[in-house]
Amino acid sequence: MTTIDVSGAVRARWPAVTSVAMGTFTIVSSEMLPVGLLTSIASDLGVSTGTAGLTMSLTGLVAAVAAPVLALAAREIDRRTILLGLMAVLAVADLAGALAQNHLVMLAARVLTGVSIGGFWAFAAGLGTRLVPERSVGRATSIILSGVSVASVLGVPAATFVSSFAGWRIAFAAAGVLALGLLVLLAVTLPPLRPPAGSADAAAREKRLSWLSGPLNVVLLLTALTVSGHFAAYTYVRPFLEHVSLAGAAFIGAALLLYGAAGVAGNFAAGARAARNPRATLIVLTGLMTLSMAALALTALPPLVALVAWGLGYGGVGVTLQLWIMREGGGELGTALFVGSFNVSIALGSFAGGRIADGLPISAVMWAGAGLTLVSAIVAGIWGRSRTSGS
């Protein structure tokens, strides 16, 4: 039986939990970088807005593939070594993006970003059990995963704010410097993390496979609908605000910062409720997202109000879905598949939004996003009633 030495070591491992959370924040912030910078990137590299959106879709696709591939290929390697290596790859990718002189080089840099994101997130999500005693695993896992949720809503506003006075290349360079700083912090705080010894027993494997046939499939479907709907619209929120709301760079930067602040509030508010009832929480969140995107398309609300409501909704999505997986007992396999589904959905959503943005009025991306999130809310409601009735 494997034991954990909790005498004295626990105090040293809470900084490790915090540094891993900062690491997840950094990788997802890097993934989101192009969203608020898309117009500037497209103009500087001489491509259309939709084509520039490939910097999002390609990254998400590579991350989705990298998560399970690295989990299998690196299963015998110390997790500390893996995380340090992936953070170093991220630093190189962000700095290469800052220096890119054409779209092809930018896409190559974003491939490296995708590898880092998929691997780091997949390995980091389950580290709570390795860094703290059993009684504190829930708290540690929440802290680690909060980095993903907070980055999803703060990364874009921060990058947009920096680019508004220093340019998009400086925003990429700043992300690279942040990754280098996290590399040092992880090296200082993380203990050796040998691969878990052995494998799950037959009963646990049977339970896991049984679970895969039901709840996980539904959570993955809801992830695909919600996340792809969000990114079909959100990837192109800057050109939407410029063309429909006639907003300038300063207003957009400030609006997205408020969106991010609302998202942080949504993350922690949803986390508390999702621990008890993730299905009902997700229905509320996706409903709020649907109404916000529809209001933007209809110009029924001031854009600032709609963006804040959108941030409140999406800010809680990541933690709600992850807590749903943990509640159902999905374990590492469930988390790995969730990471893959999340990132494939980013790729599909941003790609679909790009095709819509290039072929239809820009407001059509908001309708596409609203439609997908509405379907997600409906599916969650129907599935919940089916489980209750036993059908």
Side-chain angles (χ1 to χ4, degrees), residues 49-68:
T49 300
T51 300
L54 291 173
T55 56
M56 281 293 296
S57 55
L58 180 62
T59 303
L61 184 60
V62 171
V65 174

Side-chain angles (χ1 to χ4, degrees), residues 43-383:
S43 176
D44 200 12
L45 299 183
V47 296
S48 70
T49 300
T51 300
L54 291 173
T55 56
M56 281 293 296
S57 55
L58 180 62
T59 303
L61 184 60
V62 171
V65 174
V69 169
L70 288 175
L72 292 173
R75 60 183 180 274
E76 301 299 327
I77 302 176
D78 187 297
R79 275 35 180 166
R80 178 180 184 273
T81 301
I82 294 171
L83 294 180
L84 292 177
L86 290 170
M87 189 56 65
V89 169
L90 182 67
V92 171
D94 285 338
L95 294 174
L99 298 172
Q101 296 301 311
N102 59 64
H103 192 54
L104 184 61
V105 173
M106 173 60 82
L107 289 180
R110 297 296 289 174
V111 167
L112 292 179
T113 303
V115 171
S116 178
I117 292 164
F120 195 100
W121 188 353
F123 283 112
L127 282 184
T129 58
R130 310 286 304 278
L131 296 173
V132 298
E134 184 177 354
R135 66 180 181 275
S136 301
V137 166
R139 178 186 172 197
T141 302
S142 296
I143 292 172
I144 289 170
L145 293 176
S146 71
V148 176
S149 298
V150 173
S152 297
V153 295
L154 276 186
V156 173
T160 305
F161 178 74
V162 171
S163 70
S164 67
F165 63 84
W168 70 269
R169 294 185 185 276
I170 297 300
F172 268 81
V177 171
L178 178 61
L180 288 174
L182 259 295
L183 175 61
V184 174
L185 183 62
L186 289 167
V188 170
T189 59
L190 279 180
L193 296 166
R194 299 179 185 277
S199 58
D201 57 35
R205 286 197 300 271
E206 183 178 350
K207 179 181 178 182
R208 183 72 48 77
L209 291 174
S210 173
W211 183 81
L212 287 174
S213 66
L216 176 60
N217 290 334
V218 176
V219 177
L220 295 181
L221 173 61
L222 294 171
T223 300
L225 289 169
T226 305
V227 177
S228 61
H230 172 75
F231 281 96
Y234 190 59
T235 303
Y236 305 94
V237 69
R238 179 165 182 165
F240 172 86
L241 291 173
E242 288 174 340
H243 290 90
V244 176
S245 301
L246 303 179
F251 174 85
I252 292 172
L256 292 180
L257 280 173
L258 286 175
Y259 163 93
V264 173
N267 169 65
F268 290 106
R273 295 182 178 276
R276 297 188 297 271
N277 193 336
R279 182 185 70 88
T281 304
L282 186 69
I283 291 172
V284 171
L285 296 174
T286 50
L288 187 57
M289 292 170 65
T290 299
L291 292 174
S292 301
M293 286 183 270
L296 281 170
L298 292 169
T299 63
L301 288 174
L304 198 58
V305 174
L307 282 170
V308 168
W310 189 353
L312 283 169
Y314 183 71
V317 165
V319 68
T320 298
L321 291 168
Q322 181 63 57
L323 285 171
W324 196 340
I325 285 175
M326 294 173 66
R327 180 182 175 128
E328 298 285 357
E332 290 184 354
L333 177 58
T335 296
L337 292 174
F338 170 64
V339 172
S341 178
F342 202 103
N343 283 284
V344 164
S345 302
I346 292 174
L348 291 177
S350 58
F351 179 79
R355 307 289 68 77
I356 293 170
D358 281 351
L360 295 171
I362 192 67
S363 59
V365 298
M366 295 298 164
W367 287 119
L372 287 169
T373 52
L374 177 60
V375 172
S376 179
I378 292 171
V379 169
I382 292 173
W383 183 70

